[in-house]
Amino acid sequence: MPDLSPQSRDAALLTLEGAEVDVLVIGGGVVGAGCALDAVTRGLSVGLVEARDFASGTSSRLSKLIHGGLRYLEMLDFGLVREALRERGLILSRLAPHLARPVRFLYPLKHRGWERLYAGAGVTLYDAMAWSGSLPNHRHLSRRGALRRCPALRKESLVGALQYSDAQVDDARHTMFLARTAAAYGAHVANRVEVTGFLREGERVTGVRVHDLEHDRTFEIRAQQVINATGVWTDETQSLVGERGQFHVRASKGIHLVVPRDRIQSSTGLILRTATSVLFVIPWGRHWIVGTTDTDWALDKSHPAASAKDIDYLLTEVNKVLARPLERSDVQGVYAGLRPLLSGESESTSKLSREHMVASPVPGLVVVAGGKYTTYRVMAKDAVDACAFNLNRPIARCCTDKVPLIGAEGYTALWNRRGLIAAESGLHVARVEHLLGRYGSLIRELLDLIREDPSLGRPLDGADDYLRAEVVYAAAAEGARHLVDVLTRRTRISIETFDRGTASAAEAAELMGRVLGWTPEQREREVENYRLRVQAERASQEQQDDETADAARLGAPDVIPVRLS
């Protein structure tokens, strides 16, 4: 099975340096990876470069939901909701059933009569627009029924409830799987490759200059079409072209808290209305994710910081309905991300905040920005459609609605056989279920590693949910180049443990070092860099405002500095 191994990365860069590709995608988030998969499955030659790690920006710091967006119905944005619900159904049933799964949410009602009618009409429309029947329809609940499902709620905080279905996914792993699937179809994919400039012939963009941050070398990549899919960095990337864009991207910060599952007694997630937006309490394995906020952010984009004010806001809002309030000491992990919202030169374009836009500001360059995670595939299709139009030759139509990600094929059969797999491998069935939900049918490759070295079947120090084999596999097949890649994105140890992954760092670095050929000094640097990162994040979360939180977070250096930030 093609992978994102160190060897494949080197081969991809060698190819990109020596030949012109039809389409070069800048940005390894969900939209960039989706663009690469869309283009390569249309028969185009494709390159994908990412300055940091796959999903290291917005695409690893979301609420982990694949959803239509109930609140957009209230804004009468029926087109966006319908589109997102269609994509939700595709991801659940065909594209990534091994990575996505249904999740139920309870919406407490505070007013008798009118609120049940109003909210009930909304979720009825939501279910009707989904239409696929892959998820259960909503249910009306009495207060007693709601409290049976969520005993954690204060009795006086509701008069009844509605329960409806949506879906969730590990966004970072899903994005990485998109990039790996693109590579499996022939795309040349490489992370830690920074674009430092654009090549021009007259007005036309003909490629980019890049810096391979891993090997400290620079070279040029030529392409007939370049797609700028850099999310919140869109304006900075566009500035390298020297041309004003037709729209601008504004960053909005959202933070999330991760708390242990036993802190909130419930069999269902929650959706709560706040004064300004909605708040989710989302089941996440042995944890809950509580979020999110929505505030302007004009500081460092690489490492948006969560302040004490942000954390206190979420705790205050969720505690309004909980019988046993959450305390700061209950918070196991915190993460902050930036949404790329569109803002334009006029009032009309400013209203596009959750829509996406595709433009070609100069010949040879296509820019895609905005949108929401769930509709990444539609954004990618529109961007590649623009490239196809500019290539001036017949190009196949988009087919990614019929292209499952690697690991999807055979997943259901393997899930049905999970008891037998457990007996054959010697792993507990719960462990097999965990692996199937992260790798799908690629679980065989993990089991092969354990068969060759049984010590890899042991849990990682300080992170019992993950096996040592998963760290080795992340470096060998999933494109992880540094310790932070494994602890924050290939796994979620950085937000799922009270020590934020510091107890796992040394062993994980030793396992990665075997694959990547690290010297003892390199291993120590990786561990120290990660320790400083955690220390800086903790310090930022004690600050009362964005400016001081940002300054505290920037106290830890990047493992490899990147110019655009």
Side-chain angles (χ1 to χ4, degrees):
M1 173 64 67
D3 54 30
L4 298 175
S5 67
Q7 296 77 21
S8 69
R9 179 184 183 276
D10 291 344
L13 292 180
L14 187 63
T15 300
L16 290 174
E17 187 176 5
E20 181 184 58
V21 292
D22 293 323
V23 175
L24 177 72
V25 183
I26 308 171
V30 70
V31 176
C35 285
L37 179 58
D38 186 292
V40 77
T41 53
R42 296 194 198 199
L44 299 173
S45 58
V46 177
L48 169 66
V49 293
E50 159 60 40
R52 295 170 181 82
D53 182 31
F54 304 114
S56 58
T58 302
S59 297
S60 61
R61 309 177 190 221
L62 299 165
S63 298
K64 323 302 180 201
L65 293 179
I66 298 291
H67 64 139
L70 255 180
R71 65 192 179 107
Y72 299 122
L73 279 183
E74 200 167 31
M75 301 174 188
L76 306 182
D77 200 342
F78 301 117
L80 177 63
V81 176
R82 186 182 298 107
E83 182 178 81
L85 287 173
R86 176 179 182 272
E87 295 303 310
R88 184 193 73 180
L90 281 172
I91 292 168
L92 273 171
S93 63
R94 183 184 302 169
L95 306 184
H98 54 315
L99 303 175
R101 49 199 52 88
V103 60
R104 298 281 274 169
F105 285 102
L106 190 80
Y107 176 65
L109 300 171
K110 297 181 181 180
H111 306 280
R112 298 187 185 277
W114 69 267
E115 189 181 16
R116 186 178 289 278
L117 289 172
Y118 178 75
V123 292
T124 298
L125 181 59
Y126 195 69
D127 287 344
M129 292 171 79
W131 192 61
S132 66
S134 59
L135 294 177
N137 287 331
H138 73 280
R139 298 184 62 185
H140 284 264
L141 301 172
S142 65
R143 177 159 60 185
R144 179 179 296 178
L147 292 172
R148 191 180 304 123
R149 289 163 176 79
C150 183
L153 290 172
R154 287 192 296 112
K155 184 178 179 181
E156 61 272 21
S157 70
L158 74 164
V159 297
L162 296 169
Q163 190 175 41
Y164 74 97
S165 298
D166 251 320
Q168 69 177 174
V169 72
D170 185 326
D171 45 11
R173 290 198 62 76
H174 176 255
T175 298
M176 181 274 296
F177 265 78
L178 278 169
R180 186 171 171 186
T181 305
Y185 280 100
H188 309 292
V189 177
N191 54 352
R192 304 289 177 181
V193 178
E194 179 188 12
V195 171
T196 59
F198 284 79
L199 306 179
R200 302 285 288 266
E201 289 184 10
E203 291 186 0
R204 187 175 190 82
V205 167
T206 58
V208 296
R209 285 185 297 277
V210 299
H211 181 199
D212 177 358
L213 298 168
E214 292 295 302
H215 299 121
D216 192 22
R217 67 187 189 96
T218 59
F219 59 94
E220 296 179 349
I221 302 175
R222 299 202 168 270
Q224 293 192 36
Q225 293 288 309
V226 176
I227 297 178
N228 176 5
T230 52
V232 294
W233 289 276
T234 298
D235 291 358
E236 286 83 351
T237 308
Q238 282 299 105
S239 70
L240 297 176
V241 189
E243 300 282 345
R244 282 176 63 88
Q246 295 170 304
F247 52 85
H248 299 284
V249 174
R250 177 174 62 85
S252 170
K253 184 180 71 169
I255 83 146
H256 296 81
L257 311 180
V258 182
V259 299
R261 194 67 178 262
D262 63 2
R263 301 305 195 270
I264 301 174
Q265 189 181 359
S266 179
S267 62
T268 178
L270 297 173
I271 178 172
L272 310 170
R273 186 181 291 277
T274 71
T276 57
S277 185
V278 295
L279 185 76
F280 286 100
V281 179
I282 305 162
W284 181 254
R286 294 200 292 170
H287 307 83
W288 298 99
I289 294 176
V290 181
T292 181
T293 58
D294 188 358
T295 56
D296 282 335
W297 181 263
L299 301 168
D300 178 72
K301 293 180 179 178
S302 301
H303 308 293
S307 67
K309 180 180 178 182
D310 295 326
I311 295 170
D312 290 343
Y313 166 79
L314 288 182
L315 290 175
T316 298
E317 290 297 326
V318 75
N319 284 340
K320 289 178 181 178
V321 301
L322 295 182
R324 196 195 85 174
L326 293 176
E327 299 178 359
R328 184 71 184 263
S329 59
D330 293 321
V331 177
Q332 200 161 15
V334 181
Y335 64 95
L338 300 177
R339 304 178 191 88
L341 304 182
L342 291 177
S343 62
E345 301 287 342
S346 66
E347 184 66 25
S348 61
T349 51
S350 296
K351 290 189 290 188
L352 292 170
S353 60
R354 293 309 283 168
E355 301 284 354
H356 71 272
M357 183 175 280
V358 174
S360 185
V362 295
L365 177 65
V366 169
V367 185
V368 55
K372 59 202 296 285
Y373 191 100
T374 305
T375 58
Y376 78 89
R377 197 191 61 80
V378 178
M379 296 174 67
K381 172 189 176 296
D382 290 348
V384 179
D385 280 347
C387 290
F389 178 81
N390 296 332
L391 284 169
N392 293 318
R393 70 175 195 261
I395 303 297
R397 298 176 64 179
C398 172
C399 64
T400 52
D401 59 335
K402 303 176 183 69
V403 179
L405 302 191
I406 58 170
E409 187 173 353
Y411 162 72
T412 302
L414 289 171
W415 179 262
N416 293 340
R417 295 189 73 253
R418 61 193 184 278
L420 292 173
I421 294 171
E424 292 165 2
S425 65
L427 298 175
H428 192 280
V429 67
R431 185 74 70 180
V432 172
E433 291 176 352
H434 164 89
L435 293 174
L436 284 168
R438 287 169 50 76
Y439 304 93
S441 58
L442 298 184
I443 188 176
R444 299 185 184 96
E445 299 183 4
L446 273 293
L447 297 178
D448 286 344
L449 286 176
I450 295 170
R451 195 173 298 112
E452 293 168 9
D453 180 357
S455 72
L456 297 180
R458 299 201 309 264
L460 188 68
D461 284 348
D464 290 347
D465 286 347
Y466 299 95
L467 298 180
R468 286 159 51 90
E470 297 185 73
V471 177
V472 172
Y473 190 74
E478 295 184 337
R481 303 289 304 181
H482 297 279
L483 182 60
V484 66
D485 301 341
V486 168
L487 296 182
T488 64
R489 287 176 289 276
R490 304 306 183 277
T491 71
R492 293 310 187 135
I493 293 170
S494 65
I495 60 172
E496 293 176 349
T497 59
F498 278 109
D499 61 75
R500 310 283 175 94
T502 53
S504 307
E507 184 180 27
E510 192 275 328
L511 292 166
M512 287 190 73
R514 296 182 194 176
V515 177
L516 300 175
W518 288 348
T519 64
E521 292 75 23
Q522 286 175 300
R523 289 201 304 271
E524 289 176 12
R525 279 198 301 271
E526 291 283 334
V527 172
E528 178 63 8
N529 175 273
Y530 186 78
R531 186 190 66 78
L532 291 173
R533 175 188 184 275
V534 171
Q535 180 178 300
E537 286 187 346
R538 288 188 182 279
S540 71
Q541 291 155 18
E542 298 299 325
Q543 310 307 311
Q544 290 301 315
D545 57 65
D546 283 348
E547 287 74 16
T548 52
D550 179 64
R553 177 60 186 88
L554 292 179
D558 278 341
V559 62
I560 299 180
V562 177
R563 186 176 63 173
L564 294 179
S565 61

